[in-house]
């Protein structure tokens, strides 16, 4: 096996690509080493183990949100800020549906942070941005908890429906399912297959923003 010089960033990037292609359950240090054409032991010079690798993958993807064009432009209102954060995170979930459940469930960087995402940098940006728009400490924290709970729940559901496994792309199951015993589902199959994920996400986000607005006006 050809040995090559690697650094931590290259290993993490390769791990993200591996999980995107093969799934999280398939990720091992040995298999990742094979994908990188190095012995697994070469990875341990930069990564202490699988747990360290998973944390690094999550950190890399969340930090990448700050480079998204939706996040780099200034928001004119707190409502626009929430819209930008939500849609940047949705883009992440759509791009990495096999990894997003890990982003949503990985323990936070500080145990008193709940719910995910785990990044203190992300939480700092969120809270300070809302306070710049006039939110009090209590209002900012309340909005953070409500917003992240909505975001994680909505995007976990969407990401789980987009994986090759869910779509039946790996074994062709989507075209072989026998619905003869479920006449209502069979009759409504075309309607059930319609994809309105973006509209449903936007509607739910609008409802949340309205609830936050109402709570801050009391």
């Amino acid at each position: 096996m050809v040995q090559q010089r690697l650094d931590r960033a290259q290993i993490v990037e390769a791990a993200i690509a591996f999980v995107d292609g093969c799934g999280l359950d398939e990720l091992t240090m040995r298999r990742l080493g094979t994908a990188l054409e190095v012995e697994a032991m070469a990875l341990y010079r930069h990564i202490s183990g699988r747990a360290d690798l998973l944390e690094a993958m999550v950190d890399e993807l969340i930090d990448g949100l700050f480079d998204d064009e939706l996040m780099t432009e200034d928001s004119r209102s707190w409502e626009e800020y929430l819209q930008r954060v939500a849609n940047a995170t949705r883009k992440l979930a759509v791009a990495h549906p096999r990894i997003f459940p890990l982003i949503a469930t990985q323990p936070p960087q500080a145990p008193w942070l709940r719910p995910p995402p785990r990044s203190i940098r992300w939480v700092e940006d969120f809270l300070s941005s809302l306070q710049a728009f006039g939110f009090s400490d209590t209002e900012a924290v309340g909005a953070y908890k409500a917003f992240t709970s909505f975001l994680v729940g909505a995007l976990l559901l969407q990401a789980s429906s987009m994986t090759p496994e869910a779509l039946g792309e790996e074994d062709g199951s989507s075209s072989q399912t026998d619905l003869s015993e479920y006449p209502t589902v069979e009759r409504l199959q075309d309607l059930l297959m319609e994809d309105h994920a973006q509209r449903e996400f936007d509607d739910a986000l609008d409802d949340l923003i309205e609830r936050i607005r109402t709570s801050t006006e009391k």
Side-chain angles (χ1 to χ4, degrees):
M1 185 174 290
V2 178
Q3 297 290 328
Q4 57 176 314
R5 296 182 65 86
L6 290 173
D7 58 31
R8 183 178 174 91
Q10 289 174 308
I11 295 170
V12 172
E13 182 179 345
I16 291 171
F18 182 94
V19 175
D20 282 341
C22 302
L24 186 60
D25 290 342
E26 296 298 313
L27 178 65
T28 65
M29 299 295 278
R30 180 181 60 80
R31 289 169 179 162
L32 182 59
T34 299
L36 286 166
E37 298 185 335
V38 299
E39 298 290 346
M41 289 304 298
L43 305 182
Y44 287 100
R45 300 189 184 101
H46 310 280
I47 302 289
S48 62
R50 191 174 188 271
D52 182 29
L53 180 59
L54 297 182
E55 287 188 7
M57 291 165 60
V58 170
D59 292 343
E60 174 68 19
L61 289 174
I62 293 179
D63 283 345
L65 287 173
F66 293 93
D67 297 322
D68 189 284
E69 60 183 8
L70 288 171
M71 297 287 289
T72 55
E73 296 182 12
D74 292 334
S75 299
R76 292 164 293 183
S77 67
W78 66 266
E79 294 94 338
E80 181 181 345
Y81 173 76
L82 294 189
Q83 292 278 0
R84 288 180 177 277
V85 174
N87 282 286
T89 310
R90 182 178 183 274
K91 285 169 61 178
L92 172 61
V94 170
H96 304 281
R98 280 172 151 168
I99 301 179
F100 191 78
L102 178 63
I103 294 174
T105 58
Q106 190 75 359
Q109 289 178 327
W112 35 264
L113 281 179
R114 58 155 296 274
R118 68 186 302 270
S119 167
I120 295 179
R121 179 187 176 190
W122 190 97
V123 178
E124 172 68 24
D125 184 85
F126 188 94
L127 296 176
S128 62
S129 294
L130 289 191
Q131 292 200 316
F133 287 115
F135 278 57
S136 68
D137 290 351
T138 301
E139 290 169 345
V141 171
Y144 154 73
K145 291 182 177 180
F147 181 80
T148 50
S149 293
F150 151 76
L151 197 60
V152 169
L155 294 181
L156 265 177
L157 180 62
Q158 185 168 352
S160 66
S161 69
M162 295 181 62
T163 63
E165 296 85 353
L167 296 172
E169 293 176 354
E170 293 200 332
D171 57 8
S173 60
S174 61
S175 61
Q176 299 173 2
T177 305
D178 182 7
L179 298 176
S180 60
E181 296 183 13
Y182 311 99
T184 306
V185 174
E186 184 173 34
R187 180 172 59 83
L188 299 178
Q189 182 177 4
D190 290 343
L191 288 175
L192 291 167
M193 291 175 62
E194 291 180 1
D195 183 6
H196 302 296
Q198 180 68 65
R199 186 188 70 193
E200 292 164 357
F201 182 78
D202 291 341
D203 288 346
L205 178 58
D206 287 343
D207 289 342
L208 174 65
I209 288 175
E210 186 57 37
R211 292 200 302 274
I212 293 175
R213 181 184 293 112
T214 299
S215 69
T216 59
E217 291 175 350
K218 290 181 178 178

